[in-house]
Amino acid sequence: MPKFAIEVNGLRKRFGDQVVLNGIDLAVMPGTIFALLGPNGAGKTTLIHILSTLINPDVGSARVAGYDVVRDKNEVKKSISLTGQFAAVDEVLTGEENLLMMCKLSGLTTAESRIRTSELLIRFDLAAAAKKRVKTYSGGMRRRLDLAISLVVSRPVLFLDEPTTGLDTISRRALWDNIIQLKEQGITIFLTTQYLEEADQLADSIAVIDQGRVATAGTAVQLKSRLGGEVLELRNGHDELLLVVPTSGKIQDVMLTLNELAHSLPPDTQVSIRKPSMDDVFLALTSKEREESYA
Amino acid sequence: MNTPPSVRKPASFGMTNVVFIGRSIRHSLRNAEALIMAIMLPIMLMLLFTYVFGGAIDPGGNYVNYVVPGIILLCAGFGSSSTAVDVAQDMTNGIIDRFRTMPIRSLSVVTGHVVASLARNLVASIVVIGVALLVGFRPSANGIEWLAALGVIILFILTFTWLFAAIGLVTGSPSAASGYGFALLFLPYLSSAFVPTSTMPNWLQGFANHQPITPVIETIRGLLTGTPIQHQGWWAIGWCAVILIFSISWCFIAFRRNAGLR
Ligand SMILES: Nc1ncnc2c1ncn2[C@@H]1O[C@H](COP(=O)(O)OP(=O)(O)O)[C@@H](O)[C@H]1O
Ligand SMILES: [Mg+2]
């Protein structure tokens, strides 16, 4: 295995006049979970499409499992599995037929395919629905089937594009468990999400992208600590959130901040002090950019 | 927990095709509406042309012998047009991205649809011939002529199926694909399929005599009922070969270009 499972250098991509990726640099260590966090339209899917060889970048380079995504497409394909943003399952076939088909396409014999299919059906809690057509599956079942299909053979790098979007809490937790198990097998996981909590819970490292650039990157702890030590949360008498203000947590700083705010806020304002969350990181980054673009 | 088999060698080209053909045939068998249509259409058309139009066109009652090749081609054209919709549907579903990121020849997805279309349309052709025999079709063909006719029919189905597959690839949406496909279905009416081209106005004859359907019809008719074929056989094979090569190349190009767009 090369030093990095995924390495991205100065990647740019535009569609027509619209610049979607404007110079992305990333590195993901083997056997870790990496989360790419960003709002809708940030370019997450575009980056996954480039890394999984579906489209070529305009400028810059990327290596997956040590292979260049433009020059060694076939070697990259042998090293990855992709679970796209929209469930890539065959609705006309049953869940079992979907898995059998993918096993055979992945080079397993018929006998191996049967064994692997029944293992995956059980592991992803789909055994009861195995012989039903996928058309009748719920969103969560489709997602689980989709993930199961990505795992018919073990590939060192797994791409998951918004794996839990649209799932209920229970299905989401179950999928998280699956993803953590995969990491324990040594698979490198590159996932995208719009949910800060997801990145916080799962990822060993995180990059936030916004407007085609990496706005910030690091571990969840690092990102939060960059916001300072403590966050002040101010709520009015009806317990509605008014303001979130990052501070260093030092007594002087907190007092100064509160003094400044005291004139402009109603007297019944409640103050609480807490550690920063991923939401704070995200809000701070995007609001900074908004201020800059207004300036 | 089970460790998944770690696979070194992806599926061979042959296996990939077998898997995709199996998939498309399953799709065909599960699309009840299309399947019923594929069987009912030949029966209805055969009865319609023999009993409703046949008397007016040829009061002697021999029209059935004339019209069988036309109905085979009409049904084959109709049947293969659904390939455009099948292919377009695959291209708009995320499943194509998954196939493209696997170390296989993903264009075989299209090959699967083509082979399933061939199978469907051969069944429809056999239904046409079966019904025709029941309503008075009296072919004069010997074994070799039957085989040759079957060969021409297969060539015709493959040609139009690949053409519709290309249309499905470039239109990008199932409904647009079915619209373009529809336009091609008028060709048999403007050929010698239902009436000899000599009965048409001059300006139409020019088109009807020089479009690909007419030589294919004349060849099949000649093989089955002994009417003169002359050079039409070569024209039939030539037309089909040219359109077939064009369509397959178009599919390759469109499939590659789609990859860059999505
Ligand atoms: N094939 C394409 N052609 C034109 N624009 C595209 C294409 N794919 C994506 N885009 C645009 O690029 C931007 C980023 O899209 P995407 O990568 O899907 O973002 P995300 O996955 O973060 O929501 C969007 O504004 C989208 O409209
Ligand atoms: Mg996306």
Side-chain angles (χ1 to χ4, degrees):
Chain A
M1 198 73 185
K3 182 163 177 237
F4 295 114
I6 299 167
E7 209 182 335
V8 177
N9 289 311
L11 210 64
R12 286 167 201 271
K13 178 77 189 175
R14 59 161 70 208
F15 292 112
D17 288 341
Q18 187 192 5
V19 177
V20 177
L21 300 178
N22 194 12
I24 300 275
D25 297 285
L26 293 173
V28 180
M29 299 295 283
T32 63
I33 299 180
F34 174 85
L36 186 67
L37 191 57
N40 233 330
K44 303 183 295 294
T45 299
T46 304
L47 182 55
I48 284 210
H49 281 178
I50 292 173
L51 295 179
S52 57
T53 75
L54 286 172
I55 58 177
N56 287 339
D58 298 333
V59 182
S61 67
R63 299 178 87 77
V64 173
Y67 300 108
D68 188 282
V69 294
V70 177
R71 270 174 286 135
D72 301 325
K73 275 192 177 15
N74 218 39
E75 290 305 315
V76 172
K77 287 180 189 180
K78 286 182 194 165
S79 312
I80 63 169
S81 288
L82 167 68
T83 301
Q85 183 166 359
F86 304 102
V89 289
D90 190 324
E91 306 232 314
V92 179
L93 303 183
T94 66
E96 185 178 41
E97 287 167 342
N98 265 285
L99 281 165
L100 282 172
M101 172 170 79
M102 292 302 173
C103 286
K104 288 184 189 154
L105 287 178
S106 302
L108 303 192
T109 65
T110 307
E112 287 169 329
S113 298
R114 284 195 192 296
I115 295 169
R116 186 68 189 141
T117 294
S118 55
E119 279 170 10
L120 286 167
L121 286 170
I122 291 165
R123 175 162 157 211
F124 286 91
D125 203 16
L126 289 167
K131 304 229 187 279
K132 293 207 179 99
R133 291 198 200 171
V134 173
K135 208 179 286 181
T136 65
Y137 281 22
S138 70
M141 289 161 78
R142 272 165 211 246
R143 253 310 175 202
R144 293 205 302 275
L145 178 63
D146 209 19
L147 189 58
I149 286 173
S150 307
L151 302 177
V152 293
V153 293
S154 170
R155 310 250 190 233
V157 179
L158 174 63
F159 292 100
L160 301 171
D161 196 358
E162 299 198 24
T164 64
T165 300
L167 295 192
D168 58 63
T169 316
I170 296 175
S171 312
R172 175 169 302 155
R173 300 260 163 199
L175 207 60
W176 286 357
D177 288 342
N178 289 134
I179 293 170
I180 290 166
Q181 282 175 5
L182 293 172
K183 175 188 156 179
E184 283 161 3
Q185 289 173 11
I187 294 176
T188 309
I189 294 146
F190 183 114
L191 64 85
T192 73
T193 180
Q194 298 187 38
Y195 303 116
L196 304 145
E197 190 201 353
E198 189 157 285
D200 200 4
Q201 293 278 319
L202 284 178
D204 299 298
S205 60
I206 299 169
V208 181
I209 62 167
D210 198 31
Q211 304 185 353
R213 287 173 180 279
V214 177
T216 188
T219 64
V221 175
Q222 284 168 346
L223 297 196
K224 289 181 208 165
S225 73
R226 258 172 236 164
L227 261 191
E230 299 288 333
V231 173
L232 303 182
E233 210 174 86
L234 299 125
R235 292 175 179 273
N236 66 15
H238 309 291
D239 204 32
E240 289 160 353
L241 188 63
L242 296 175
L243 265 184
V244 177
V245 188
T247 71
S248 66
K250 299 216 168 66
I251 186 160
Q252 281 291 343
D253 192 22
V254 173
M255 277 171 59
L256 272 172
T257 310
L258 286 176
N259 271 333
E260 268 173 38
L261 291 169
H263 335 278
S264 53
L265 292 169
D268 63 347
T269 300
Q270 297 279 322
V271 179
S272 56
I273 298 185
R274 59 168 173 78
K275 291 278 177 210
S277 69
M278 283 299 298
D279 285 279
D280 301 323
V281 174
F282 201 62
L283 283 174
L285 282 166
T286 47
S287 60
K288 203 184 297 162
E289 252 153 44
R290 247 172 246 136
E291 277 159 30
E292 277 167 13
S293 62
Y294 287 138
Chain B
M1 192 174 52
N2 300 302
T3 7
S6 150
V7 163
R8 35 323 128 162
K9 245 180 98 143
S12 67
F13 182 58
M15 190 61 195
T16 305
N17 280 305
V18 167
V19 171
F20 282 129
I21 290 168
R23 165 178 185 258
S24 296
I25 287 180
R26 278 206 171 91
H27 276 225
S28 295
L29 291 175
R30 286 178 193 178
N31 187 346
E33 237 172 83
L35 204 64
I36 290 170
M37 195 66 179
I39 309 258
M40 288 307 290
L41 187 73
I43 298 177
M44 310 258 289
L45 286 177
M46 206 56 234
L47 297 179
L48 184 71
F49 276 95
T50 313
Y51 292 122
V52 182
F53 302 144
I57 297 169
D58 179 358
N62 258 331
Y63 187 57
V64 61
N65 283 329
Y66 184 83
V67 83
V68 166
I71 294 180
I72 291 177
L73 291 209
L74 195 62
C75 292
F78 178 81
S80 50
S81 72
S82 66
T83 308
V85 179
D86 294 338
V87 170
Q89 217 139 38
D90 270 354
M91 295 302 133
T92 46
N93 182 319
I95 200 159
I96 193 66
D97 287 344
R98 167 160 276 144
F99 293 144
R100 278 202 177 109
T101 56
M102 296 172 81
I104 53 171
R105 285 282 191 115
S106 40
L107 187 64
S108 296
V109 162
V110 178
T111 315
H113 287 308
V114 169
V115 174
S117 162
L118 179 62
R120 279 196 313 266
N121 287 306
L122 280 177
V123 170
S125 302
I126 290 166
V127 172
V128 172
I129 293 170
V131 175
L133 289 172
L134 288 178
V135 298
F137 178 44
R138 293 295 167 258
S140 64
N142 62 28
I144 292 173
E145 284 164 335
W146 271 111
L147 280 181
L150 183 67
V152 176
I153 293 170
I154 290 176
L155 181 64
F156 178 82
I157 296 171
L158 283 177
T159 301
F160 275 78
T161 300
W162 275 107
L163 182 59
F164 281 115
I167 291 174
L169 280 174
V170 292
T171 49
S173 89
S175 55
S178 83
Y180 284 94
F182 195 70
L184 269 171
L185 295 182
F186 280 99
L187 279 184
Y189 293 102
L190 306 178
S191 76
S192 66
F194 301 109
V195 293
T197 55
S198 58
T199 64
M200 296 176 183
N202 267 333
W203 57 272
L204 196 54
Q205 271 189 38
F207 177 77
N209 283 332
H210 297 99
Q211 66 124 320
I213 305 277
T214 296
V216 178
I217 294 270
E218 291 304 319
T219 306
I220 298 174
R221 185 180 289 136
L223 288 167
L224 294 184
T225 62
T227 54
I229 300 180
Q230 298 160 348
H231 52 273
Q232 296 284 19
W234 295 114
W235 276 108
I237 293 171
W239 266 117
C240 285
V242 167
I243 301 174
L244 186 60
I245 291 167
F246 166 78
S247 305
I248 293 178
S249 327
W250 196 15
C251 278
F252 267 89
I253 295 165
F255 196 78
R256 287 205 154 201
R257 209 190 36 205
N258 275 8
L261 286 178
R262 298 195 73 237

